[in-house]
Amino acid sequence: MEEIIRLFTSDSNEILFLFMKAFAVLFSFLYLVYAVIITRQTQIMNKTFHTKSSGILLFISFVQVIFAIILIFVSITLI
Amino acid sequence: MVEITKPSHDLLHSFLVRPQVNFETQHADETVVLVVRKHPLTQLYWIINASLILIIGFSIRIFLLPLILDPIHIFVIELFLVFFTFSYVWLNILLWYFTVGIVTTERILDLDFLNILYKEFSATVMNQVSELSTRVGGFFRSFFHFGDVFIKTQGFQQNIEFTDVPHPAEIVKIINALMQEQQN
């Protein structure tokens, strides 16, 4: 356990944080693709079966695209 | 006994009588009489999964991450955890919401979204229905009154199945009433 903690806190952890940033950016972009697909599919589902709540469902699906953009921003700037 | 003429509709209901909905292939003079979804209890597995992801994730965040990472990195990991869990929950809600069985004045339709990219649609007209049966088995199904409805059609037409739907006997009653109405 102490060895793991030392690995993260030593001076040579820059490579590790760079690795972490690369993963965060990659996953954020994948999440964006997923969010766009979900939004598009919600539109198709709404067309197939339309209810009074269709607008709310589409809005919540679209919120994920905003989440993905926040994640990309945070991954690039904060890490 | 569920009253066929009395409308009932709510966002999260799984047994909707005369709801204000329409579907892609609906005919101009076709009215939706019944919409059924899987009983909410059948969705417990992903609610438990999401809760476990959050509990385990935040336990690691509270007890382990402060020892090895600085607050900014912890914040980013928290964001990822919350957004990914939200997506998992939302995907399952969408699949549950849009996987429906529809009974109209003319037809019986089964719309299945097996995953976000795969859709299955089957339908039959009322006068082709040859046999209706229900299956309710097991403790939870009997206690909470949900089960399967099987709609067999004449000849080589495809059969339709509504699985894990509430009030299966009522569904059969409603379809029978509509079939008699059509015959008259």
Side-chain angles (χ1 to χ4, degrees), chain B residues 4-184:
Chain B
I4 303 180
T5 51
K6 191 182 162 198
S8 80
H9 183 217
D10 198 283
L11 179 66
L12 295 175
H13 280 180
S14 54
F15 189 92
L16 312 172
V17 180
R18 292 202 180 273
Q20 290 176 351
V21 299
N22 48 63
F23 54 94
E24 207 173 15
T25 56
Q26 190 170 356
H27 303 152
D29 53 346
E30 193 174 15
T31 312
V32 176
V33 177
L34 184 70
V35 170
V36 285
R37 294 191 180 95
K38 286 190 175 186
H39 194 283
L41 264 185
T42 60
Q43 307 301 302
L44 261 184
Y45 75 95
W46 60 259
I47 296 170
I48 292 169
N49 284 350
S51 308
L52 282 177
I53 291 170
L54 283 180
I55 290 167
I56 294 169
F58 277 101
S59 301
I60 292 171
R61 183 254 172 269
I62 291 165
F63 298 111
L64 185 67
L65 291 187
L67 299 174
I68 54 176
L69 291 173
D70 51 34
I72 288 176
H73 289 103
I74 294 173
F75 171 69
V76 175
I77 289 170
E78 265 176 4
L79 271 187
F80 269 92
L81 177 69
V82 171
F83 288 170
F84 275 84
T85 312
F86 174 80
S87 294
Y88 173 69
V89 169
W90 185 240
L91 175 67
N92 280 293
I93 289 175
L94 283 179
L95 292 178
W96 172 76
Y97 188 82
F98 286 105
T99 299
V100 287
I102 305 169
V103 179
T104 73
T105 44
E106 293 174 16
R107 295 182 290 168
I108 301 168
L109 306 99
D110 187 14
L111 188 58
D112 287 329
F113 284 92
L114 302 176
N115 59 51
I116 201 71
L117 297 172
Y118 189 77
K119 178 176 89 173
E120 236 179 53
F121 178 80
S122 43
T124 184
V125 289
M126 281 291 172
N127 54 23
Q128 275 187 338
V129 175
S130 62
E131 195 184 316
L132 289 165
S133 56
T134 63
R135 183 176 64 193
V136 181
F139 172 75
F140 279 105
R141 285 169 155 228
S142 303
F143 192 77
F144 293 102
H145 206 161
F146 66 95
D148 307 326
V149 176
F150 301 100
I151 299 143
K152 287 183 184 164
T153 53
Q154 290 163 356
F156 295 104
Q157 296 289 323
Q158 59 187 338
N159 298 325
I160 291 176
E161 251 182 67
F162 296 162
T163 50
D164 297 327
V165 289
H167 311 301
E170 298 296 341
I171 295 169
V172 169
K173 245 180 229 176
I174 289 171
I175 295 172
N176 270 328
L178 288 167
M179 282 168 71
Q180 275 179 353
E181 222 172 74
Q182 279 242 323
Q183 280 171 355
N184 296 335

Side-chain angles (χ1 to χ4, degrees), chain A residues 55-74:
Chain A
I56 301 168
L57 299 174
L58 187 61
F59 174 74
I60 298 173
S61 291
F62 182 72
V63 163
Q64 286 184 107
V65 177
I66 297 167
F67 285 171
I69 293 167
I70 292 170
L71 277 184
I72 292 170
F73 177 77
V74 162

Side-chain angles (χ1 to χ4, degrees), chain A residues 11-31:
Chain A
D11 292 335
S12 63
N13 60 10
E14 273 180 27
I15 296 168
L16 196 81
F17 285 142
L18 195 70
F19 197 63
M20 210 173 144
K21 182 172 184 155
F23 261 98
V25 173
L26 178 70
F27 275 109
S28 305
F29 274 103
L30 287 177
Y31 185 62

